[in-house]
Amino acid sequence: MRVIDIIDKKRLGGEHTDDEIHFLVRNYAQDGIPDYQMSAWLMAVVWRGLTPAETFALTGAMVASGDTLDLSGVGRPTVDKHSTGGVGDKTTLAVVPILAAGGVAVAKMSGRGLGHTGGTLDKLESIPGTRTSLEVPEILRQVHDIGACLCAQTPTLVPADQKMYSLRDATATVQSRPLIAASIMSKKIAGGGKSIVLDVKVGSGAFMETIEDARALARLMVDIGKAYDRRVVAVLTDMNVPLGFNVGNSVEIREVVALLKDNAGVDRRLRELVLYLSGVAFELAGKADSVEAGQEMAASLIVSGDAFEMLCKIIEAQGGDPEYLRRTVKQPAARVKLDIRSPRGGYIRNVDASVIGVAAMRLGAGRETKDAVVDHSAGVVLRHTVGDLVERDNIIATLYTATEIAARQVASEVVGAFDIVDGEVDAAPLIYETISG
Amino acid sequence: MRVIDIIDKKRLGGEHTDDEIHFLVRNYAQDGIPDYQMSAWLMAVVWRGLTPAETFALTGAMVASGDTLDLSGVGRPTVDKHSTGGVGDKTTLAVVPILAAGGVAVAKMSGRGLGHTGGTLDKLESIPGTRTSLEVPEILRQVHDIGACLCAQTPTLVPADQKMYSLRDATATVQSRPLIAASIMSKKIAGGGKSIVLDVKVGSGAFMETIEDARALARLMVDIGKAYDRRVVAVLTDMNVPLGFNVGNSVEIREVVALLKDNAGVDRRLRELVLYLSGVAFELAGKADSVEAGQEMAASLIVSGDAFEMLCKIIEAQGGDPEYLRRTVKQPAARVKLDIRSPRGGYIRNVDASVIGVAAMRLGAGRETKDAVVDHSAGVVLRHTVGDLVERDNIIATLYTATEIAARQVASEVVGAFDIVDGEVDAAPLIYETISG
């Protein structure tokens, strides 16, 4: 078998055999195939696509390139959760403790933020002392003892994906449905959870900008899961508007704490999505008879304080300071704080997630390039959201950052993210549809 | 300017600016852009294509990546010649001496054989002592003193093309009309000839299998030439049937010598094409008022012996033994000789160029991989060609190679290349059309 023939076959629109895909992935992961051949193949895949059978084989080949987590010893049902990423999406930080508090084990591995979307690891690391790089034995022990972990993907899990993703990122070959689906699902399958809840974001602040694209991706991921004996439910959710009020790192931790402490004033959409995803997971794990019953279970785990205590336990197990969580009611100490005022009165029809995401990144909360350093205290806090009535000069958002200049540079963009109109408007949408095997 | 944005633009089907293409080629040639990004871009180009303006820019950027030959000091009109490559195509070895004998200077740079097509350099090196690696000053001196050289492309000419071609060869991105056109024309423009004759092969033994593809490539190359102030004529010629009777290295030299010595029994198509390409070149160079007059001029330079003497001079100047050419009437000393006999009587309707080319390669005359060593004495000599009437058991071809096994292994393929039918058939076609600016 020759790589050049595999590339050529895809260039001509042919369908690969399982052997061809395993040959390609195995040898690439072991440095037996140079980057320049893999990137040519990847671009040919972006062009010609992959059939479902090819996509299943690619997923399996990537899983086979490294270790897999064996969660059979934790003695509880296991669930994994993934979001395709969005602005202000901190659901993982609430859903994982809720599930663990409800007796479902979650070995959750997350990524870092890049571009306009945030990353769970950066948010976690804004809690002093918290370690996110856990070794496989540590992950297994913590999930066994506590019921959950929140950590980085280990380097030995799906190394082919890690190598391929870096290459795709440098060669404009990220945008391919089968490549995206295989990348996500290979990590979920290697992660060992028997059930998987996927949150597929749709809108200006997400990878998928249309419902059709998101639905096709969700369907493909559910099918991949089925091929590997996983129960998968994908939820299509809105990402035209940021999720929650806070976008950044420590500001998002603060919002998660408020949600888990059942404080007043938490964004309705954020709370609703956390409960829904938890409900889906409880139902999949056999802890509830229906999604609705699962949602109620999640709500009572919040009210009882169990979910918040579980978050504290997870953070403490990973070296973080739970007292930080208990005390973190005041604003984080960003050097500069700038209030953004409404240029007019009216109803807020839209707050553009993409614009807010880029603004938060420019304030220091995210990374423009992979090597950039994140400012944990930076971010955007929305004071009003879609559906709200505001008057001229009301504070609609607050920016947190390190310098006056940085704040002033993004201020007008943040104003521009708000679409304010005369007539009353509906609240922003949240859940579009739920797809299961 | 970022490479990733350039790749992404082409992935989405956008048109590059001149600056973008120059940035890409210049930095790639200087090792500032990694192979894996260039190969992703190349595959995107295979997919999306390049506009004429992009193709002109690519050609210019490749020319600008290295030295160019300045032939203004040779004191004669200058012509260059290129063939897209075919089986048994030895026209360069006849046309260049004819032109030089007729007062037209030719600094001809050629390539090596790969796959089923032969390379002029390998044929030249079958003449004992002949050097094909000439330095630029040596090329200029020889073209000034004698009127022609036959050598390898120098490493300082169009280095971007040399690097890109190797990469294309390893990434299944050779098959792209604008990439092929820019690659050929950048070398011709850097080569300094004011007029250019292109022999674009069409058929089973050529890169371009249909007249439409060949015509589009020819048209594009003529247009590129115009954009860089060159007079270009492209001739579309048949490559379904090998050109000439001999396919290999020393066997092809022998055939060229027979042609230039005006011996009887030379393939009619080979002679006709050599005269036609020479006639086109003489007309372009202002040495003849018409292609017909140019053809007559070429024919008389053969009859007078001037063309053959010129070939001897060129070979001698490059360290080769002209006595070898004068004496080379007997078969070269291949260890094994195997006659192939006709399995039936009838008229030969076709001799498949591609099959004969692969057979010659397997006998040792060509390279399956770039590092393979060529056996100069190996090859196939056709004893009959299209239009001939043969009887059962007539010798239709002879194989020359190093081992009995090699000969036996390709024997049946060579028989299969002959399509023999009952009714009379036409001779093989030769010149399909001529395209000029």
Side-chain angles (χ1 to χ4, degrees), chain A residues 143-186:
Chain A
V143 174
H144 181 273
D145 293 352
I146 302 178
C149 68
L150 289 163
C151 65
Q153 203 192 321
T154 74
T156 61
L157 242 77
V158 205
D161 176 67
Q162 302 191 24
K163 202 177 165 196
M164 279 171 71
Y165 194 85
S166 296
L167 185 63
R168 286 167 61 205
D169 193 48
T171 56
T173 51
V174 168
Q175 289 295 347
S176 155
R177 185 185 304 145
L179 295 181
I180 293 169
S183 172
I184 293 171
M185 291 306 293
S186 63

Short mmCIF file of all heavy atoms in Angstrom, two decimals, chain A residues 143-186:
data_model
loop_
_atom_site.label_atom_id
_atom_site.label_comp_id
_atom_site.label_asym_id
_atom_site.label_seq_id
_atom_site.Cartn_x
_atom_site.Cartn_y
_atom_site.Cartn_z
N VAL A 143 -12.17 9.55 39.44
CA VAL A 143 -13.53 9.25 38.99
C VAL A 143 -14.12 8.15 39.89
O VAL A 143 -15.29 8.19 40.25
CB VAL A 143 -13.56 8.83 37.51
CG1 VAL A 143 -14.95 8.37 37.09
CG2 VAL A 143 -13.12 10.01 36.63
N HIS A 144 -13.26 7.20 40.29
CA HIS A 144 -13.72 6.14 41.20
C HIS A 144 -14.08 6.71 42.56
O HIS A 144 -15.15 6.42 43.13
CB HIS A 144 -12.62 5.08 41.35
CG HIS A 144 -13.02 3.96 42.25
ND1 HIS A 144 -12.82 4.01 43.62
CD2 HIS A 144 -13.61 2.76 41.98
CE1 HIS A 144 -13.29 2.90 44.15
NE2 HIS A 144 -13.76 2.12 43.18
N ASP A 145 -13.21 7.57 43.10
CA ASP A 145 -13.39 8.06 44.47
C ASP A 145 -14.47 9.12 44.58
O ASP A 145 -15.28 9.11 45.51
CB ASP A 145 -12.07 8.63 45.00
CG ASP A 145 -11.01 7.54 45.18
OD1 ASP A 145 -11.37 6.34 45.04
OD2 ASP A 145 -9.84 7.88 45.42
N ILE A 146 -14.47 10.08 43.65
CA ILE A 146 -15.36 11.23 43.77
C ILE A 146 -16.54 11.13 42.81
O ILE A 146 -17.65 11.56 43.11
CB ILE A 146 -14.59 12.54 43.46
CG1 ILE A 146 -13.42 12.71 44.42
CG2 ILE A 146 -15.53 13.75 43.54
CD1 ILE A 146 -12.59 13.93 44.14
N GLY A 147 -16.25 10.59 41.63
CA GLY A 147 -17.31 10.47 40.63
C GLY A 147 -17.07 11.31 39.39
O GLY A 147 -17.81 11.19 38.42
N ALA A 148 -16.05 12.15 39.41
CA ALA A 148 -15.81 12.97 38.23
C ALA A 148 -14.42 13.60 38.27
O ALA A 148 -13.81 13.74 39.33
CB ALA A 148 -16.85 14.08 38.10
N CYS A 149 -13.93 13.96 37.09
CA CYS A 149 -12.76 14.83 36.98
C CYS A 149 -13.03 15.82 35.86
O CYS A 149 -13.92 15.62 35.03
CB CYS A 149 -11.49 14.03 36.69
SG CYS A 149 -11.49 13.30 35.05
N LEU A 150 -12.27 16.92 35.88
CA LEU A 150 -12.35 17.94 34.83
C LEU A 150 -10.91 18.21 34.43
O LEU A 150 -10.20 18.91 35.15
CB LEU A 150 -13.00 19.22 35.36
CG LEU A 150 -14.49 19.15 35.67
CD1 LEU A 150 -14.91 20.32 36.56
CD2 LEU A 150 -15.31 19.18 34.38
N CYS A 151 -10.47 17.63 33.31
CA CYS A 151 -9.03 17.72 33.01
C CYS A 151 -8.78 17.83 31.51
O CYS A 151 -9.70 17.82 30.70
CB CYS A 151 -8.31 16.50 33.56
SG CYS A 151 -8.81 14.97 32.78
N ALA A 152 -7.51 17.95 31.19
CA ALA A 152 -7.08 18.03 29.80
C ALA A 152 -7.05 16.63 29.19
O ALA A 152 -6.89 15.65 29.91
CB ALA A 152 -5.70 18.66 29.71
N GLN A 153 -7.18 16.58 27.87
CA GLN A 153 -6.99 15.30 27.18
C GLN A 153 -5.56 14.85 27.47
O GLN A 153 -4.63 15.65 27.39
CB GLN A 153 -7.19 15.49 25.68
CG GLN A 153 -7.57 14.19 24.98
CD GLN A 153 -7.48 14.31 23.46
OE1 GLN A 153 -7.83 15.33 22.90
NE2 GLN A 153 -7.03 13.25 22.82
N THR A 154 -5.37 13.58 27.81
CA THR A 154 -4.00 13.11 28.06
C THR A 154 -3.30 12.86 26.73
O THR A 154 -3.95 12.52 25.74
CB THR A 154 -4.00 11.80 28.89
OG1 THR A 154 -4.42 10.74 28.03
CG2 THR A 154 -4.94 11.89 30.07
N PRO A 155 -1.98 13.04 26.70
CA PRO A 155 -1.26 12.92 25.42
C PRO A 155 -1.31 11.52 24.83
O PRO A 155 -1.09 11.35 23.63
CB PRO A 155 0.19 13.28 25.78
CG PRO A 155 0.17 13.80 27.16
CD PRO A 155 -1.10 13.37 27.82
N THR A 156 -1.59 10.53 25.67
CA THR A 156 -1.59 9.15 25.15
C THR A 156 -2.96 8.74 24.60
O THR A 156 -3.10 7.67 24.03
CB THR A 156 -1.18 8.15 26.24
OG1 THR A 156 -2.13 8.24 27.31
CG2 THR A 156 0.21 8.44 26.77
N LEU A 157 -3.98 9.60 24.80
CA LEU A 157 -5.30 9.29 24.25
C LEU A 157 -5.43 9.89 22.85
O LEU A 157 -5.25 11.10 22.67
CB LEU A 157 -6.40 9.87 25.15
CG LEU A 157 -7.33 8.82 25.78
CD1 LEU A 157 -6.64 8.13 26.93
CD2 LEU A 157 -8.64 9.42 26.18
N VAL A 158 -5.76 9.07 21.87
CA VAL A 158 -5.98 9.52 20.49
C VAL A 158 -4.86 10.45 20.01
O VAL A 158 -5.13 11.56 19.55
CB VAL A 158 -7.36 10.20 20.34
CG1 VAL A 158 -7.83 10.10 18.88
CG2 VAL A 158 -8.39 9.59 21.24
N PRO A 159 -3.60 10.00 20.08
CA PRO A 159 -2.51 10.87 19.62
C PRO A 159 -2.65 11.22 18.13
O PRO A 159 -2.23 12.31 17.72
CB PRO A 159 -1.25 10.05 19.88
CG PRO A 159 -1.72 8.64 20.03
CD PRO A 159 -3.10 8.72 20.60
N ALA A 160 -3.25 10.34 17.34
CA ALA A 160 -3.44 10.65 15.91
C ALA A 160 -4.29 11.89 15.74
O ALA A 160 -4.03 12.73 14.88
CB ALA A 160 -4.08 9.46 15.19
N ASP A 161 -5.32 12.03 16.58
CA ASP A 161 -6.18 13.21 16.46
C ASP A 161 -5.42 14.46 16.84
O ASP A 161 -5.56 15.50 16.21
CB ASP A 161 -7.42 13.08 17.35
CG ASP A 161 -8.26 14.35 17.29
OD1 ASP A 161 -8.81 14.61 16.21
OD2 ASP A 161 -8.31 15.08 18.28
N GLN A 162 -4.62 14.37 17.89
CA GLN A 162 -3.89 15.56 18.33
C GLN A 162 -2.94 16.03 17.21
O GLN A 162 -2.86 17.22 16.92
CB GLN A 162 -3.11 15.25 19.62
CG GLN A 162 -4.06 14.76 20.73
CD GLN A 162 -3.41 14.69 22.10
OE1 GLN A 162 -2.44 15.37 22.38
NE2 GLN A 162 -3.97 13.87 22.98
N LYS A 163 -2.28 15.06 16.56
CA LYS A 163 -1.34 15.41 15.50
C LYS A 163 -2.09 15.93 14.27
O LYS A 163 -1.70 16.91 13.64
CB LYS A 163 -0.52 14.15 15.14
CG LYS A 163 0.79 14.46 14.48
CD LYS A 163 1.62 13.22 14.21
CE LYS A 163 2.73 13.57 13.23
NZ LYS A 163 3.36 12.40 12.62
N MET A 164 -3.19 15.25 13.94
CA MET A 164 -3.95 15.66 12.76
C MET A 164 -4.62 17.01 12.98
O MET A 164 -4.74 17.81 12.07
CB MET A 164 -5.00 14.61 12.41
CG MET A 164 -4.40 13.45 11.62
SD MET A 164 -5.55 12.05 11.42
CE MET A 164 -6.74 12.75 10.26
N TYR A 165 -5.08 17.26 14.21
CA TYR A 165 -5.76 18.52 14.44
C TYR A 165 -4.80 19.70 14.29
O TYR A 165 -5.15 20.72 13.69
CB TYR A 165 -6.46 18.57 15.81
CG TYR A 165 -7.41 19.74 15.80
CD1 TYR A 165 -8.69 19.61 15.28
CD2 TYR A 165 -6.98 21.00 16.20
CE1 TYR A 165 -9.53 20.69 15.18
CE2 TYR A 165 -7.82 22.10 16.09
CZ TYR A 165 -9.09 21.94 15.59
OH TYR A 165 -9.92 23.02 15.47
N SER A 166 -3.57 19.55 14.80
CA SER A 166 -2.58 20.61 14.64
C SER A 166 -2.31 20.88 13.16
O SER A 166 -2.19 22.02 12.72
CB SER A 166 -1.24 20.22 15.28
OG SER A 166 -1.40 20.09 16.65
N LEU A 167 -2.22 19.80 12.41
CA LEU A 167 -1.96 19.94 10.97
C LEU A 167 -3.14 20.60 10.27
O LEU A 167 -2.96 21.50 9.44
CB LEU A 167 -1.68 18.56 10.37
CG LEU A 167 -1.26 18.54 8.89
CD1 LEU A 167 0.06 19.26 8.67
CD2 LEU A 167 -1.16 17.10 8.38
N ARG A 168 -4.35 20.18 10.62
CA ARG A 168 -5.55 20.78 10.00
C ARG A 168 -5.61 22.27 10.31
O ARG A 168 -5.95 23.09 9.44
CB ARG A 168 -6.82 20.09 10.52
CG ARG A 168 -7.01 18.69 9.92
CD ARG A 168 -8.09 17.92 10.67
NE ARG A 168 -9.38 18.58 10.61
CZ ARG A 168 -10.35 18.43 11.51
NH1 ARG A 168 -10.16 17.62 12.54
NH2 ARG A 168 -11.49 19.07 11.38
N ASP A 169 -5.25 22.61 11.54
CA ASP A 169 -5.29 24.00 11.97
C ASP A 169 -4.34 24.86 11.14
O ASP A 169 -4.60 26.04 10.91
CB ASP A 169 -4.90 24.04 13.45
CG ASP A 169 -5.22 25.38 14.08
OD1 ASP A 169 -6.36 25.85 13.89
OD2 ASP A 169 -4.34 25.95 14.74
N ALA A 170 -3.23 24.27 10.67
CA ALA A 170 -2.21 25.03 9.93
C ALA A 170 -2.42 24.97 8.43
O ALA A 170 -1.71 25.62 7.67
CB ALA A 170 -0.83 24.49 10.27
N THR A 171 -3.41 24.16 7.97
CA THR A 171 -3.55 23.96 6.54
C THR A 171 -4.97 24.23 6.03
O THR A 171 -5.33 23.79 4.93
CB THR A 171 -3.15 22.51 6.14
OG1 THR A 171 -3.95 21.58 6.90
CG2 THR A 171 -1.68 22.24 6.44
N ALA A 172 -5.76 24.95 6.82
CA ALA A 172 -7.12 25.31 6.41
C ALA A 172 -7.97 24.09 6.07
O ALA A 172 -8.78 24.13 5.16
CB ALA A 172 -7.09 26.30 5.22
N THR A 173 -7.76 23.00 6.82
CA THR A 173 -8.56 21.80 6.57
C THR A 173 -9.39 21.41 7.79
O THR A 173 -9.75 20.25 7.96
CB THR A 173 -7.66 20.62 6.14
OG1 THR A 173 -6.59 20.47 7.07
CG2 THR A 173 -7.07 20.84 4.76
N VAL A 174 -9.69 22.40 8.64
CA VAL A 174 -10.54 22.14 9.80
C VAL A 174 -11.99 21.91 9.35
O VAL A 174 -12.68 21.04 9.86
CB VAL A 174 -10.44 23.29 10.82
CG1 VAL A 174 -11.53 23.18 11.88
CG2 VAL A 174 -9.06 23.28 11.48
N GLN A 175 -12.43 22.70 8.37
CA GLN A 175 -13.84 22.71 7.98
C GLN A 175 -14.23 21.51 7.12
O GLN A 175 -14.33 21.61 5.90
CB GLN A 175 -14.15 24.00 7.21
CG GLN A 175 -14.16 25.25 8.08
CD GLN A 175 -15.27 25.25 9.12
OE1 GLN A 175 -16.19 24.44 9.05
NE2 GLN A 175 -15.19 26.14 10.09
N SER A 176 -14.48 20.40 7.75
CA SER A 176 -14.93 19.21 7.04
C SER A 176 -15.77 18.40 8.01
O SER A 176 -15.29 18.01 9.07
CB SER A 176 -13.74 18.38 6.56
OG SER A 176 -14.11 17.03 6.40
N ARG A 177 -17.02 18.17 7.67
CA ARG A 177 -17.92 17.48 8.60
C ARG A 177 -17.39 16.13 9.07
O ARG A 177 -17.33 15.88 10.27
CB ARG A 177 -19.31 17.35 7.98
CG ARG A 177 -20.35 16.77 8.92
CD ARG A 177 -21.65 16.55 8.19
NE ARG A 177 -22.11 17.79 7.60
CZ ARG A 177 -22.75 17.87 6.43
NH1 ARG A 177 -23.01 16.80 5.74
NH2 ARG A 177 -23.13 19.05 5.97
N PRO A 178 -16.97 15.25 8.15
CA PRO A 178 -16.48 13.94 8.64
C PRO A 178 -15.22 14.07 9.48
O PRO A 178 -15.05 13.32 10.45
CB PRO A 178 -16.24 13.13 7.36
CG PRO A 178 -16.29 14.12 6.24
CD PRO A 178 -17.10 15.27 6.68
N LEU A 179 -14.34 15.02 9.14
CA LEU A 179 -13.13 15.18 9.95
C LEU A 179 -13.47 15.71 11.34
O LEU A 179 -12.89 15.28 12.34
CB LEU A 179 -12.13 16.12 9.26
CG LEU A 179 -11.53 15.63 7.92
CD1 LEU A 179 -10.55 16.67 7.37
CD2 LEU A 179 -10.83 14.29 8.09
N ILE A 180 -14.42 16.64 11.41
CA ILE A 180 -14.85 17.18 12.71
C ILE A 180 -15.50 16.06 13.54
O ILE A 180 -15.18 15.87 14.71
CB ILE A 180 -15.83 18.36 12.52
CG1 ILE A 180 -15.12 19.56 11.88
CG2 ILE A 180 -16.48 18.75 13.85
CD1 ILE A 180 -16.07 20.67 11.41
N ALA A 181 -16.39 15.32 12.90
CA ALA A 181 -17.12 14.27 13.62
C ALA A 181 -16.17 13.19 14.13
O ALA A 181 -16.27 12.74 15.28
CB ALA A 181 -18.18 13.64 12.70
N ALA A 182 -15.23 12.76 13.28
CA ALA A 182 -14.30 11.70 13.68
C ALA A 182 -13.39 12.20 14.80
O ALA A 182 -13.05 11.45 15.72
CB ALA A 182 -13.47 11.24 12.48
N SER A 183 -12.98 13.46 14.72
CA SER A 183 -12.12 14.02 15.75
C SER A 183 -12.82 14.03 17.11
O SER A 183 -12.28 13.56 18.12
CB SER A 183 -11.72 15.45 15.35
OG SER A 183 -11.04 16.09 16.40
N ILE A 184 -14.04 14.53 17.14
CA ILE A 184 -14.79 14.59 18.40
C ILE A 184 -15.08 13.19 18.92
O ILE A 184 -14.81 12.86 20.08
CB ILE A 184 -16.13 15.36 18.20
CG1 ILE A 184 -15.84 16.84 17.90
CG2 ILE A 184 -17.04 15.20 19.42
CD1 ILE A 184 -17.08 17.62 17.48
N MET A 185 -15.63 12.34 18.05
CA MET A 185 -16.10 11.03 18.52
C MET A 185 -14.94 10.10 18.89
O MET A 185 -15.09 9.26 19.78
CB MET A 185 -17.02 10.40 17.48
CG MET A 185 -18.36 11.12 17.35
SD MET A 185 -19.26 11.31 18.93
CE MET A 185 -19.66 9.58 19.27
N SER A 186 -13.79 10.24 18.23
CA SER A 186 -12.66 9.38 18.61
C SER A 186 -12.27 9.68 20.06
O SER A 186 -11.94 8.75 20.82
CB SER A 186 -11.47 9.60 17.67
OG SER A 186 -10.98 10.93 17.76
#
